[in-house]
Amino acid sequence: MPLHRGPDAPDERPVSVNPFYGLANPAAGMTEAPPKHRLPDAPMPPSTAHQLVRDELMLDGNSRLNLATFVTTWMEPQAGILMAECRDKNMIDKDEYPRTAELERRCVAMLADLWNAPDPAAAVGCSTTGSSEACMLAGMALKRRWARRNADRYPGARPNLVMGINVQVCWEKFCTFWEVEARQVPMEGDRFHLDPRAAAELCDENTIGVVGVLGSTFDGSYEPVAELCAALDALQERTGLDIPVHVDGASGGMIAPFLDEELVWDFRLPRVASINTSGHKYGLVYPGVGWALWRDAEALPEELVFRVNYLGGDMPTFALNFSRPGAQVVAQYYTFLRLGREGYRAVQQSTRDVARSVADRVAALGDFRMLTRGDELPVFAFTTAEDVTAYDVFDVSRRLRERGWLVPAYTFPANREDLSVLRVVCRNGFSADLADLFVEDLTRLLPELRRQPGPLTRDRAAATGFHH
């Protein structure tokens, strides 16, 4: 979560209250305007509080038109009803809510089967608040396993984790919070994610693991997990170093099993120790749920699992969070039950079809060069063509926002800081009709952009919409 601070200067201007927000008689029912940055002295009618908050939120972007986020923005009404009925259930109270706990257990079992665990019954897993927490847990398990194997040298030796520079920021947070050196493989040329051979070269006796990303947030491409495991197999033959792999399948973990069944990236690879995914991304659930799975109990050190006698029951738990609602876990089980394999395959194929179609139509405009076309994640990235000098990707992002479309523009990391791109994330709910409207709006903007004397964006760091 972002950190917030108080206002830079005192702002005692009260929130404006419309007289009609009061009771039937506006004059008699007027409510005193509440302050912004301190608690009001007195309560107000619920209808007034509701309207004040609702008015503030009107200026948020429309989530359905947010082509920056991977997070689910639409679910069926029946799922919303189930979530409303479960929002008061604390997920951690497994003894008080045993059926909610059972649904979580079933979801873990379904994912273990989906990801080809050697023995799904032996796989270990849990729900989380999202992939960021799941990655933290997986990283902790990798570090603890390494520390156990190197008890004679640790804590004197400093552990490291190898990853591509394109990883989600949660991995950098993990390394900072848990005092692990982050060793990152930079981008090179048209390779925008981890190179297996380069990753293996960064490994040594202090490497706790290597992270492979199944679906980079920068361009939607899959990292070659099988090739990564092969490179680490060769490293072990040469040096004896046995380096485990964690697959960050935040998005691709719920795409590849249905659309790329021949792709070997999961527990079929013996070196893959753990996998995470975001239920609230292509798992098709509203924000607030992720999943972390380990191939077996050996991959998750027992000392990390807390067994708490909590409110009358023995509760094994591995989490950074404690209290959280059970609604998202229930919604995940509902979606698994509702769609099944064929349903997920149909939804994800439709989303990929939309991504490919839009990418082709954007490419046909002639002003842009495509980096990816939605062939893996339903995501594509593109930049301006070499002969386009009147505007840049930041201008396109700014102008699309005027039409309600939220499309991030951002600069790539080392060694491709010279490359700035736009990225479009297609999700369930971004229909072919909405895609038509998006392409029409982009097409309509191009004549004006072409007439500019040059790019108008001065502060690219402030202009970027890429934060995840």
Side-chain angles (χ1 to χ4, degrees):
M1 296 296 291
L3 292 174
H4 297 285
R5 49 184 288 180
D8 293 329
D11 183 0
E12 293 303 327
R13 293 176 300 164
V15 177
S16 176
V17 177
N18 189 315
F20 285 99
Y21 290 177
L23 303 176
N25 181 347
M30 287 180 63
T31 300
E32 181 180 349
K36 289 182 179 177
H37 298 118
R38 60 181 176 83
L39 282 172
D41 295 326
M44 67 175 60
S47 58
T48 304
H50 170 262
Q51 192 63 50
L52 287 174
V53 175
R54 189 174 188 182
D55 286 353
E56 289 269 3
L57 295 176
M58 287 174 63
L59 293 179
D60 271 350
N62 185 330
S63 64
R64 292 286 297 280
L65 302 184
N66 184 356
L67 303 184
T69 184
F70 286 81
V71 172
T72 295
T73 57
W74 181 87
M75 289 189 76
E76 293 174 310
Q78 292 87 343
I81 293 171
L82 278 174
M83 293 182 75
E85 293 172 347
C86 295
R87 61 191 170 197
D88 60 340
K89 295 182 179 181
N90 190 352
M91 189 68 224
I92 209 68
D93 296 345
K94 300 185 187 300
D95 194 55
E96 284 70 30
Y97 307 118
R99 302 321 300 169
T100 302
E102 170 63 14
L103 298 191
E104 178 187 30
R105 189 192 67 79
R106 292 180 191 176
C107 288
V108 168
M110 290 177 179
L111 288 171
D113 177 66
L114 185 67
W115 294 338
N116 296 292
D119 180 3
V124 181
C126 61
S127 67
T128 64
T129 55
S131 267
S132 292
E133 183 187 4
C135 291
M136 297 283 178
L137 299 180
M140 290 166 62
L142 290 174
K143 183 180 178 183
R144 185 58 62 93
R145 290 178 65 196
W146 171 86
R148 182 194 292 167
R149 295 194 305 269
N150 294 273
D152 58 328
R153 298 189 307 111
Y154 183 75
R158 187 186 183 193
N160 65 74
L161 181 66
V162 175
M163 64 196 86
I165 200 168
N166 57 299
V167 293
Q168 214 268 358
V169 70
C170 68
W171 287 106
E172 298 175 35
K173 288 183 178 180
F174 164 77
C175 290
T176 299
F177 294 167
W178 274 272
E179 298 181 325
V180 173
E181 177 192 355
R183 294 187 175 180
Q184 295 184 311
V185 178
M187 296 179 177
E188 294 291 348
D190 291 332
R191 176 182 57 76
F192 304 123
H193 56 226
L194 176 144
D195 173 68
R197 182 176 299 178
E201 290 173 355
L202 289 178
C203 294
D204 59 24
E205 67 276 8
N206 295 328
T207 301
I208 65 174
V210 181
V211 176
V213 181
L214 196 70
S216 172
T217 58
F218 278 89
D219 63 356
S221 61
Y222 294 160
E223 291 190 334
V225 179
E227 293 178 27
L228 172 62
C229 290
L232 294 174
D233 288 343
L235 177 69
Q236 184 175 7
E237 290 180 7
R238 295 194 309 271
T239 67
L241 295 174
D242 185 8
I243 310 295
V245 168
H246 172 80
V247 178
D248 183 349
S251 294
M254 293 303 296
I255 293 290
F258 306 109
L259 302 186
D260 307 297
E261 295 180 75
E262 301 306 314
L263 181 67
V264 178
W265 62 273
D266 52 18
F267 289 126
R268 285 171 288 183
L269 298 167
R271 196 167 290 278
V272 173
S274 50
I275 301 172
N276 71 274
T277 197
S278 292
H280 59 223
K281 292 181 180 175
Y282 290 104
L284 307 179
V285 176
Y286 283 138
V289 63
W291 300 93
L293 269 69
W294 291 263
R295 74 163 42 243
D296 50 37
E298 177 63 25
L300 176 59
E302 174 64 25
E303 60 265 31
L304 291 177
V305 179
F306 282 78
R307 297 186 180 275
V308 183
N309 187 343
Y310 184 70
L311 297 180
D314 178 64
M315 180 191 63
T317 178
F318 184 35
L320 299 180
N321 291 280
F322 204 67
S323 295
R324 59 187 174 90
Q328 282 81 2
V329 169
V330 171
Q332 184 74 84
Y333 182 70
Y334 164 84
T335 307
F336 284 170
L337 198 66
R338 166 79 172 89
L339 292 178
R341 285 180 180 258
E342 289 305 316
Y344 263 98
R345 185 173 292 109
V347 170
Q348 312 299 38
Q349 185 63 59
S350 174
T351 306
R352 181 181 279 181
D353 290 345
V354 168
R356 285 171 166 170
S357 172
V358 177
D360 289 345
R361 292 157 71 186
V362 169
L365 294 173
D367 285 42
F368 303 106
R369 177 172 67 89
M370 311 305 294
L371 275 67
T372 50
R373 292 176 176 265
D375 294 325
E376 293 175 325
L377 289 190
V379 173
F380 63 92
F382 59 103
T383 187
T384 50
E386 290 186 5
D387 58 346
V388 173
T389 58
Y391 64 92
D392 60 17
V393 294
F394 300 95
D395 291 325
V396 177
S397 177
R398 175 173 47 80
R399 293 302 308 275
L400 284 171
R401 185 178 288 265
E402 295 172 5
R403 299 291 299 171
W405 300 104
L406 307 178
V407 180
Y410 52 93
T411 301
F412 272 27
N415 291 333
R416 289 307 312 268
E417 296 97 333
D418 60 306
L419 180 61
S420 298
V421 306
L422 293 149
R423 185 198 66 196
V424 172
V425 177
C426 298
R427 305 177 306 278
N428 183 41
F430 182 59
S431 63
D433 290 338
L434 282 175
D436 289 342
L437 294 175
F438 169 74
V439 175
E440 289 171 8
D441 281 340
L442 177 59
T443 304
R444 190 178 297 115
L445 290 174
L446 288 182
E448 295 180 35
L449 290 169
R450 291 165 181 159
R451 289 195 295 269
Q452 289 183 179
L456 301 181
T457 303
R458 297 292 178 258
D459 186 357
R460 293 188 173 189
T464 182
F466 181 75
H467 302 292
H468 45 77

